[in-house]
Amino acid sequence: AVGSAAASPQQPLRVERLTNTPKSDERKYQYAVLSNGLRVLNIQDNRTTHFAVAAAVQAGSFYDPPNLPGLAHFCEHMLFLGTREYPDADGFDDFMVQHDGSDNAYTASEVTVYFASLAQDARDELMARFSDFFRAPLFRDRFVEKEVHAINSEHLKNVQSPDRRILETMNSVAVSGSPVSRFHTGNLETLYLGPKRVHENPVDALKEYFANNYCPSRMRLVTAGSPSLEEQLHLAGLTFGNIPAGSKICQRSLRTFDKPPPFPPSRMGKWFVIQGSEPQPSLWVQWQMRDLTKDYPGQPLDYIYHVLNYDGVDSLSRTLEDSFGLAAGLDWMTDMTTAGTSLYLIVGLTTLGRQRVALVLDTIYAYLGRLLRDGIDPAIYKSLRDLDKLEWDWTTPSGPASTVSDFAERMTRLPAKDLLTGDGLIAKLEPDVVEYVLSNLTPSNMNVALVEENPDFSHGQVRQLPHWGVNYTVSDLSAVIAGAQLKWTSWLMNHHSAAEVEGLAKALKKDQVKPVSTDFPQPPGPIEGIPTHLDLRYMHAAEGAGGGGAAAGAVSRVFGPRPVEIAIDRPSPPASSAKPSVWYRSGWVTKSPDANLMTLLRPLRTPHEPYFTALESMRLRVYTSLLAEELVPVMADLVLTGGNYGLTVDEAGLSFSFSGFEPVVPRLATTMLTQFNRFNTNLNLTLPGRFDRIIEELRQGLSSYTGMPISYALQDRNILLEPGTYSREEELRVLGSITAETAAKSVGELFLSRPLQLSALAMGNLAEDQARDILGTVANGIQLPKWLQFREASGEVQYVKPIVRPPQPVEIRTINPREHDPNDVAVVTLVHGVVTAEAQVLMDILGRILSSVVWQELRTKRQLGYVASAGFGRISNVGYMSAFVQGEELDADGMEAAIEAVFAKQMPEKLRGMSDSEFAGFKDALAKGLLEKPTSTGEEMSHSWNPVKLGGHCFGFLDEILRYLNSSLVSRESVQNAWAGLASPTSGMRTKLSIKYFADRSKDGRPRPLPERVSAQEASRLYEEAGVPADARSLLLKEHSNALIFGRTTAADRHQLERQSGTYPTDMHCRLQPQTVRAIEAEAAAAGGGA
C-alpha cells in the first residue's frame, strides 16, 4: 500500500493490488482510497473495447422518511435529469446512444447502484458526466411530476410480479418501527399527490436526502476497461476526487436496521392466506434470523441450500413431488439486510397438496428433524468447499457493465481483501453458524403463507395491502393447524416417537399416497466425483487455425478460428439416412476448462410437407416435461460436479447439449442417452400422478396470464408470421386428448420413425478424438423402440424456416388477456423482408437509434408507460422493426398513433440532426461493439453454432457486416434512405402489423368492452393529435382502410395470410451483394491510389 495523509484529490491515500484472482480471470485489480474518502476499485481488462463505471451509494429504500415512501428511488431517477455542468435533461441519454452505450440503476434496501458502459474513446466524458451526478445534481422542480409518473408506471409493473406481491404481504406484519414493513418503490400518491395536499415540495426532501446520504465516504466507485490501472485511478481522481466530503450527518457511521427487530416472536407463528395471481397454489414458509452478511467466510447458506434443495433420488423435493404427490416444485430464496435474514422455502402445490397443506409441513419438519439429529456433516461441508473453489476458479468473468455493477455492490459489504473471494469461496468451515441457521428453522420462528387465485377467506378478516391491492388474511398458525407446532417442535428436539411417524404414514395412506421409494426424504451425502485434476491441454484456441484461417479477418481474432468439419462413423438409424454435419474446434478464446457439445437431429422434409399440428406440438411438449422430470434425480449428482445438460424437442428437431468440466461431459452424454432410450422403450415408465400433475401444470399455465401483457402481444405478432406456432387457446383445446402413452410415443412417431440428419458442434477443452467419441454416442446411441416401425424417406433438411408474407396491413384488436390489468398495449411492427448483409447493418443502426428515440419520446417526455421500447429483430431470415408501449395514459389506438408519430416525425428529425462527426462516432462505436471479445464460452459457442445449424453456411457473416459498416457506403444519407423506405415508402403500403390490447377495466374500475375500431376520420384525428405530419397521414389512412382485422391471433389467421400471399423466400444472404463488393473495392483502390 502507498499513499500520503496529505494527498491531493488526484493522489490516493491508499493503493493496493488485489491478486487472489480465479484461474479463469486474467484481469488486473487495484483498490484505492481517495483523499475525500471515496473507495475505488479499478479493473484492467484488455479484452474489452468498452469502458464501464459504477457507483454504489450506501443508502436505499430503508432510508426513506416514513412520510415519503419511495424517496430513495425518486433520487435514483432524478440524478439522470441534468447536473450543474451538464444541465440538459436528455444530454446523458443522447451521449450514451452516440457512443454505443447503455446505463441503468437500481435501488435496493440499503444500497443504490448506478452503472454505465460505452465505447472506450468516450470514457473521459463519461466519467466527467457520471461524477457530476454525485457532485451537483440539479433536482429541478419542472421534472418532478413527469419522473414521478415514470416511477408510478414502474410500480404498476412491479404490482404484476407474483413473487413481489407475496413478499410485500408477508413483510407487512413486521413491526411498524422497522422499514421492512413499509412501502419502498413510491408512486404518484406518496411522492407527488400526497405531499402536494399538505403543501410540501418533494424536491426539498430530495435535496435533504441527497445531502445526508450521498457523500464520498458512503460511496464506492468501480471502473473497468483496457486502460492501465494507473490511468483508471488517475481518471477517477480527476473526476471523483474533488467531490466534497459532505455533511457531518452523511459522514457519520452507517445506520443499521436491526432495532427494533422486524419480526419479534409476537410477529412470528402467523398463517397468511393470500390471493395470488397465478393458477397454481403455493406454500411459502418464512424463517427469520439475524443478519448473516458478516458470516460470508463460511457461506452457511450454501450448506442449507444443498440439503434443502438437493434434487437427487429420495431427496426432499423428489419425495414431495413423486413419492407423495403433494408438490409440483420446490424452491427457496433469501433476503439479507442489516434488519435480519429471511429464508423462504416455496412449495408449488398439487391438488392433493393443497388439500393436505399440513401434510406438506409434516414432511418438511420430519426432514428437518432428521437433519438436526444427524448434525452438520463435515464431509458434506468440505465437499461444498471443494466444489465452490473449483467453480470459483473457473467462473467465466462477466462483461464490463455487469462486472462494475456487481463489484460496486460488493464493496458496500465486503472488505477490500475479500472483494474477489467473499461471495464465491468457503474460506473456512463454520459449522456453528450452519447449526445456528438450521436450529432456527423452527415452528415458533416461522410464518406460512398459502397463496392461491381463489382463496378461502372464511376464517379471517380480509385486508388489502396498501399500494399493492393484494387481498389477504392473517391468523395465528396455532388456530389454523391445532397442535401442529408442538408436534413439529417435538420432532426437531428428537422426541418424535415411532407412533407419530406411523401416524404420518397413515395420513399418507389415507390420502391414497403410495410412496414409490422411501417413506421419508433422505438427506444427501457428500458430493462425490468432483474433478480434482483438469487436463488443460486443449483449453486455448490456437490462433490462425481452423477453417477460416487468416482470411477470416478481424472476427477470427475476436472469436477465435472457425470450427472445422470432421468425420464420424456412419450413424445408425434414425440418423443414418443423411450425411452428418459435424464440426469441431479445440479450445476457447475465453479461459475455461469446459467442453461444450451441441447436437441437433432434424427430419428430412419434402418441399410442401405440413408443419406439426397443435396436437403434435403439445404431445412433444408433454413428452419433454415428462422426460425432464425423469432425468432430474438421475442427473443431479453429475450436475453438482460441474456438468450441465439440455434436451429440446420441438418443430426444429431433437436437440441434446452437454457442457461442463471435461471429465464430467462423457458421463453426462452416456447417462442422458441411456435414460432417453429407457424412456422411449418403456411406455409405462411415467408415474400416473406425475403425468396428471404435468398436464394440470400445463393447463394452468396456458389458461392464465401472469406475465406482462406486452409479452403476450409479441407472441401474438409472431404467431401471425411463423408456421408451426399456435395460440394458447388452440393448445388448450388439444391438451385434454393427450394420454401418457401418446405423449411417450411422440418422439418415436414424429422423429425416430423417419430419417434424421445430425448437425453437431464440439468446442472447448477436449481432443478431437474425445469429441468424436461423445458425438458418436449420440449418433449411434439412440435405440429404436421395438414398437416403432422405421420408414426410409427422401427429402432435405430445412435450414431456413419460411415466414409468412402478409399481403396487406394487419391489425389485431382484443381485450388484454390479463384480467383486471389496467394497461393497454400497442405493438407496431414494420416487416422489412428477407435480410441481406447490407440490410442487417442499416437496420441494426436504425434499431439502436429508434430505441433511444422511443424511450425519450414515449416514456420520458410523454409518460405513456414504463414499458416503452423499440428495435430491429429477426424471425428466421426475415427482419422487422418494432416499437411498443404498455401503459394507462392512452388507449391502444392512441398509443399506435404516438408510435407512428415517432416513425414519421421524431425519428427522421433525429437522423437529420446527426452531424457527420456524430454519425462517424456512432459507426465507430458500433463496429467496436461488434468486435467486443466474448465474455463466456456460451457466446463463443453461439457464434459458431448458428452457422453450423445453417449447414456450415454463413461463417463469415460478421466479417461481411463489418466490411460494409466500415465503408463510406454506410452514411447518414444511406441510413436516412433506409428509414424512409421502411417507414414512409413513396408508393404502395408498408407491411405493417399492429397488435392492440385494450384493458378490460376503465381507470375508475368499471368494466370496459372491446372498443369498436376507430373510423378513418377518428384515426386521422388521433394521428394529428399525436403529431404525425400531414404528408405522412395519407399513407396511414390508406393502411387503415385496407387493413385485415382479427381478434385474438390463431393459426387460422396465419393460414389466411399465407393463402393470400405465401411466404418469403428462404434465401440465406451470408455475403455482400456483388455490386456492394465492387463499390468497396473501388473505394479501397482509390484510397490506395491517393496514398
Side-chain angles (χ1 to χ4, degrees), residues 38 118 260 451 478 531 678 733 829 1022 1060 1077:
L38 179 67
L118 45 48
V451 185
S478 58
R678 177 171 171 260
R733 280 199 294 270
T829 296
L1022 288 173
Q1060 287 184 246
V1077 174

Side-chain angles (χ1 to χ4, degrees), residues 60-118:
S61 56
F62 278 7
Y63 288 74
D64 288 343
N67 65 323
L68 275 175
L71 187 66
H73 187 204
F74 185 38
C75 183
E76 173 216 308
H77 277 244
M78 291 291 286
L79 250 64
F80 285 88
L81 298 180
T83 67
R84 185 173 57 210
E85 292 298 321
Y86 303 94
D88 184 359
D90 295 329
F92 189 74
D93 286 344
D94 290 339
F95 167 72
M96 295 300 290
V97 170
Q98 184 180 345
H99 297 283
D100 190 34
S102 62
D103 60 88
N104 212 333
Y106 66 87
T107 302
S109 298
E110 296 173 276
V111 64
T112 305
V113 180
Y114 305 80
F115 53 99
S117 172
L118 45 48

Side-chain angles (χ1 to χ4, degrees), residues 305-324:
Y305 174 83
H306 178 66
V307 296
L308 290 182
N309 246 44
Y310 175 68
D311 228 355
V313 177
D314 295 339
S315 61
L316 175 62
S317 61
R318 289 298 102 201
T319 302
L320 282 170
E321 293 179 43
D322 293 334
S323 300
F324 296 170

Side-chain angles (χ1 to χ4, degrees), residues 760-813:
L761 173 64
M763 284 178 62
N765 184 36
L766 77 170
E768 184 174 329
D769 288 344
Q770 289 176 291
R772 292 180 200 274
D773 289 343
I774 298 172
L775 295 175
T777 300
V778 177
N780 297 292
I782 295 178
Q783 297 175 5
L784 298 183
K786 292 181 180 179
W787 54 263
L788 183 71
Q789 183 176 356
F790 181 77
R791 305 183 306 274
E792 288 286 359
S794 60
E796 295 181 353
V797 169
Q798 184 183 79
Y799 292 118
V800 178
K801 191 174 190 178
I803 299 303
V804 171
R805 184 201 298 266
Q808 59 203 87
V810 176
E811 181 175 333
I812 303 296
R813 298 179 66 85

Side-chain angles (χ1 to χ4, degrees), residues 1044-1066:
L1044 288 170
I1045 312 301
F1046 296 115
R1048 288 305 305 273
T1049 310
T1050 66
D1053 301 330
R1054 181 180 65 247
H1055 294 153
Q1056 177 181 337
L1057 300 180
E1058 187 175 359
R1059 283 193 300 271
Q1060 287 184 246
S1061 57
T1063 59
Y1064 287 98
T1066 55

